[in-house]
Amino acid sequence: EDSDEILWELQVPMIAAKDWQEQETLHLVRRNYAAKLWEMIQLPPLDSDPVVFPGDGKWKEKEVRKWLMENAFPTINYRIPGYQGKKQPFPFNKYFGSGNAGGVGLVMVKIKDLNDFGPQFRAIRYMRPHIEKLSGQIRFAILEKPESTLEMRTALKVGLNESIEAELVLFENLDGVVRKVDNHFHGNKKKYRLLNL
C-alpha cells in the first residue's frame, strides 16, 4: 500500500521481473466466471482474451504501471464467494477511489445467497449491449443489496428501495462521492437510474 497507493486501491499487484527474454510478453488474464452461461445462450463470453502489453521485451515500470491502470477493470465485476466460500466486501476503493478515471455503473440486485448466480446474470444479460458500449468509460459492477451493504448504499444515496429487485445507477463521474453517511450530501448530480432490469 505504501509503495503505490493507486495500484493498491485497484487491487493490481506489480512485480519486477529479472533476466527475462526478449520474446517474453506480459499478459493480463481476467477471471471469466460466466463463460459457460454466455455460451449456453449463444453469446461470446466477456473478457475471454488476455490483454497483452504492447512492449517488445523492454518493459519500463512507468509504462507497465500505466497499462495496468488502464486495464485494471473487467467489463463487469460479478459478486461471487471468495476464498473458501467466504464473502468478500465490495471493492469500494477500486471503483470509487482515485485510480478510477472513469465513471461507475452499479447494477444493484437483491441476492440472498451469492451462490445463486441467476439474479446477477439476468440483470447483466439485459444490460450487456449498453455495458459493452460504455466499456472503458464506465466501470460496471454488481452490488448486492443485503444489510451488509446498507451503510455504503446510504452514503452513496442509491439502492435504498428494498422492493426493487434490480436497478442500475450510473455515475457519470465521481465528483463529490463520499464513503461515509452524510446528511448534508444529497448525492452525485451526474447520476442516472434505470429500473425494471
Side-chain angles (χ1 to χ4, degrees):
E1 181 178 8
D2 294 333
S3 61
D4 198 316
E5 185 177 348
I6 290 180
L7 287 183
W8 174 265
E9 287 184 349
L10 292 175
Q11 300 176 357
V12 177
M14 188 169 179
I15 60 172
K18 288 181 65 179
D19 301 325
W20 65 82
Q21 302 297 316
E22 288 191 9
Q23 66 269 22
E24 292 179 340
T25 58
L26 189 60
H27 288 212
L28 186 64
V29 180
R30 296 189 176 113
R31 180 176 61 188
N32 200 352
Y33 185 74
K36 294 287 186 187
L37 293 174
W38 290 118
E39 290 169 357
M40 287 172 63
I41 59 173
Q42 300 178 347
L43 285 172
L46 298 171
D47 300 328
S48 57
D49 296 324
V51 183
V52 181
F53 180 70
D56 57 0
K58 298 176 181 177
W59 305 339
K60 294 184 178 178
E61 181 181 351
K62 184 177 179 181
E63 294 173 358
V64 171
R65 182 181 185 277
K66 181 175 181 287
W67 175 76
L68 286 171
M69 289 178 62
E70 289 172 349
N71 295 284
F73 296 89
T75 302
I76 178 72
N77 187 70
Y78 298 110
R79 296 289 286 148
I80 60 174
Y83 180 66
Q84 293 184 339
K86 294 181 179 178
K87 182 178 178 181
Q88 301 297 318
F90 180 85
F92 185 91
N93 288 341
K94 181 180 178 85
Y95 283 85
F96 290 95
S98 56
N100 181 7
V104 174
L106 289 180
V107 182
M108 288 174 284
V109 184
K110 288 181 76 172
I111 305 172
K112 293 181 180 179
D113 183 353
L114 285 183
N115 289 303
D116 179 10
F117 193 65
Q120 295 186 57
F121 187 74
R122 285 191 294 272
I124 297 305
R125 179 183 179 185
Y126 177 79
M127 289 298 305
R128 179 169 172 163
H130 309 291
I131 289 173
E132 290 182 311
K133 183 178 179 180
L134 294 171
S135 181
Q137 304 168 53
I138 304 293
R139 320 302 190 179
F140 287 91
I142 293 285
L143 176 63
E144 68 276 22
K145 294 171 63 175
E147 188 71 24
S148 61
T149 65
L150 180 58
E151 183 177 352
M152 175 184 151
R153 289 181 282 125
T154 302
L156 293 173
K157 306 290 194 283
V158 298
L160 299 175
N161 187 338
E162 297 298 333
S163 67
I164 297 174
E165 294 292 326
E167 59 185 305
L168 167 69
V169 174
L170 191 73
F171 295 82
E172 186 177 327
N173 60 57
L174 304 181
D175 291 345
V177 169
V178 295
R179 182 167 190 166
K180 295 181 179 178
V181 176
D182 181 354
N183 291 330
H184 301 290
F185 175 64
H186 299 291
N188 184 291
K189 62 184 179 181
K190 294 280 188 175
K191 183 172 65 180
Y192 310 92
R193 185 182 186 204
L194 177 66
L195 304 178
N196 301 320
L197 301 187

